[in-house]
Amino acid sequence: MMFPLEVYAVDCAAGKVKRLQPEAGGNILIFIENQNWHLLGNSKDPGVKEMFALALAAQAQDKPVIIRFLGAFDCSAYETSTPAYMLRLDA
């Protein structure tokens, strides 16, 4: 039986974007309140620039976001190797 990838996804709790860190190699890190540093993705990968723009807008408006990762993921851990699959504005 086949399942879509979303079946094995983790949605971290909604939280406000506290810090964003674009790096020289293209990686973009995000720190969401009550979580830790996570990898949003690499700016060269599809959809990452859009997620970064949404994260900037959410931070500017002081609105919470929900971030999704595929597979097992600990939202409270410092984890900067697994890129985000989705970022949602939780307004």
Side-chain angles (χ1 to χ4, degrees), residues 15-91:
K16 294 180 181 176
V17 178
K18 293 299 182 183
R19 295 176 188 88
L20 289 163
Q21 179 175 308
E23 298 180 332
N27 282 347
I28 301 170
L29 303 181
I30 186 169
F31 188 97
I32 298 173
E33 71 179 344
N34 301 318
Q35 294 180 32
N36 213 320
W37 283 103
H38 302 309
L39 176 62
L40 196 57
N42 189 287
S43 61
K44 298 172 188 136
D45 293 336
V48 175
K49 288 180 183 176
E50 291 83 357
M51 287 191 288
F52 182 52
L54 181 60
L56 284 170
Q59 186 180 41
Q61 297 174 34
D62 202 33
K63 300 278 185 178
V65 296
I66 295 171
I67 191 167
R68 176 178 293 161
F69 294 92
L70 296 181
F73 192 85
D74 180 359
C75 298
S76 64
Y78 177 92
E79 216 285 45
T80 59
S81 61
T82 303
Y85 181 71
M86 177 276 301
L87 184 75
R88 176 186 308 134
L89 184 63
D90 189 44

